[in-house]
Amino acid sequence: MLGLRWNCSASPPSSRFALCFTKSSSSFALIPAPLRAFRASCWSQCSRSPNLVELEYADLNLKDFYGAGCQVGHVRIRQHVNPLSSSFVAPVKVPEWKQVFSNPSLPLMVDIGCGSGRFLIWLAKHFPESRNYLGLEIRNKLVQRSQFWVKELGLKNIHFMFANATISFEHLVPAYPGPLTLVSILCPDPHFKKRHHKRRVVQKSLVDSVVKNLSLGGQVILQSDVLDVALDMRDQFDARADVLKHIDALDANFTCDAQGWLLENPMGIRTEREIHAELEGAKIYKRMYQKV
């Protein structure tokens, strides 16, 4: 499985990072200290999280598509959606993959609850030859905007779908021609009240479907800024220790704190929620598994 490696000088330009692939790692590589220090110096000059989001994703130039007539700028959406609503119980139609991706045989990454889509678009733009990228999101306005951005950027290796992942993942992924090599569930809706925990995206049925469809050596990345949600996700994936091993047990490049949470972001880019949470002083709890 191909991994991501950063190749940067001590003082890289603000929106151009040299990236390359290597077969020396089975996972996403950690960001080196010079790049972390450079980003920190930039972030210190921006005190509002929207500014930090724009900085993090500056090289996508998405602001170019915010102008009059685009109708895709800052959309108003409901923060939380009830996935058990009758409008979300039917699985989505499987697309014609050869119409969605220019090469549907490439390994697939699925981002469950992809939100605005910037995170996945960044990966698709910077690493076009390694994978196809599929974003599943339950808020349709965000999907429409993400697809508009994909079209404007001319990307042929990424697609967003309006879908309830708990229902549709098992329906979609087995129909994909290539292998499933990476699944990410990053800062999902917390649904704090105990009676609403059944609305959380990580349920046993989804975990079992991810494990079943993930290729050997494939990986799962989980993260949340809410400890209770992170623990819930961790416990459910830990329950499949028969086939899933935490990444620090397989790769010495990944280290954890005393509670078993990853100390570094393995993805090379932060999600919008991650940016907002860190600005507020919250800890981001991360786990990463590999199928063995």
Side-chain angles (χ1 to χ4, degrees):
M1 178 180 176
L2 292 178
L4 304 186
R5 290 288 186 194
W6 290 87
N7 178 15
C8 62
S9 62
S11 300
S14 60
S15 62
R16 295 180 177 86
F17 303 111
L19 303 166
C20 63
F21 279 98
T22 175
K23 293 183 179 180
S24 63
S25 171
S26 63
S27 57
F28 287 99
L30 306 182
I31 306 175
L35 182 52
R36 292 200 303 271
F38 170 75
R39 283 185 168 182
S41 68
C42 292
W43 297 331
S44 66
Q45 301 174 30
C46 301
S47 60
R48 297 178 63 249
S49 57
N51 295 336
L52 294 177
V53 170
E54 294 297 340
L55 175 63
E56 191 95 0
Y57 295 98
D59 58 344
L60 292 182
N61 296 315
L62 295 180
K63 272 194 169 182
D64 293 349
F65 311 132
Y66 282 11
C70 288
Q71 299 178 351
V72 297
H74 300 285
V75 298
R76 296 178 62 88
I77 60 167
R78 293 185 62 186
Q79 196 67 17
H80 302 294
V81 176
N82 179 9
L84 303 180
S85 169
S86 59
S87 56
F88 301 124
V89 297
V92 297
K93 181 181 178 181
V94 176
E96 291 288 340
W97 297 112
K98 62 183 178 182
Q99 296 177 9
V100 169
F101 301 119
S102 60
N103 181 4
S105 65
L106 285 177
L108 180 68
M109 172 183 178
V110 178
D111 188 24
I112 295 175
C114 57
S116 74
R118 286 181 176 89
F119 165 78
L120 208 62
I121 292 172
W122 189 91
L123 291 176
K125 179 180 178 181
H126 284 282
F127 308 107
E129 304 299 328
S130 63
R131 291 187 177 95
N132 288 324
Y133 302 84
L134 178 64
L136 303 181
E137 173 55 50
I138 203 169
R139 291 164 291 188
N140 198 24
K141 286 185 179 180
L142 291 179
V143 173
Q144 292 174 356
R145 185 177 66 176
S146 298
Q147 278 298 102
F148 177 86
W149 284 339
V150 166
K151 181 178 179 181
E152 292 300 307
L153 291 169
L155 300 175
K156 304 297 184 181
N157 62 335
I158 182 170
H159 184 65
F160 292 92
M161 296 187 68
F162 170 50
N164 180 350
T166 306
I167 300 294
S168 294
F169 186 93
E170 175 61 27
H171 186 64
L172 288 168
V173 174
Y176 179 74
L180 175 67
T181 58
L182 185 60
V183 175
S184 57
I185 308 175
L186 309 177
C187 298
D189 288 347
H191 296 290
F192 291 105
K193 296 179 180 178
K194 188 172 182 178
R195 69 175 184 271
H196 290 163
H197 286 186
K198 60 187 177 182
R199 298 180 181 180
R200 290 179 175 176
V201 66
V202 177
Q203 303 291 335
K204 185 179 184 302
S205 59
L206 179 62
V207 173
D208 289 343
S209 182
V210 168
V211 170
K212 180 177 72 173
N213 289 288
L214 196 64
S215 62
L216 190 63
Q219 297 168 333
V220 179
I221 299 176
L222 312 173
Q223 78 176 35
S224 178
D225 56 302
V226 179
L227 179 58
D228 177 63
V229 175
L231 290 171
D232 185 25
M233 293 193 294
R234 181 199 67 182
D235 292 347
Q236 295 206 53
F237 277 90
D238 277 359
R240 294 307 312 268
D242 55 324
V243 290
L244 293 179
K245 302 300 180 185
H246 197 252
I247 193 66
D248 67 327
L250 302 171
D251 189 337
N253 289 316
F254 293 87
T255 56
C256 296
D257 64 17
Q259 288 73 45
W261 305 109
L262 284 174
L263 292 174
E264 300 282 353
N265 180 350
M267 298 301 292
I269 190 76
R270 296 185 298 170
T271 67
E272 289 183 55
R273 178 59 202 166
E274 192 173 353
I275 294 169
H276 299 323
E278 289 187 338
L279 185 63
E280 295 169 357
K283 178 177 178 177
I284 308 298
Y285 303 94
K286 305 174 187 292
R287 298 279 287 177
M288 186 172 178
Y289 300 87
Q290 185 164 315
K291 187 172 180 179
V292 295

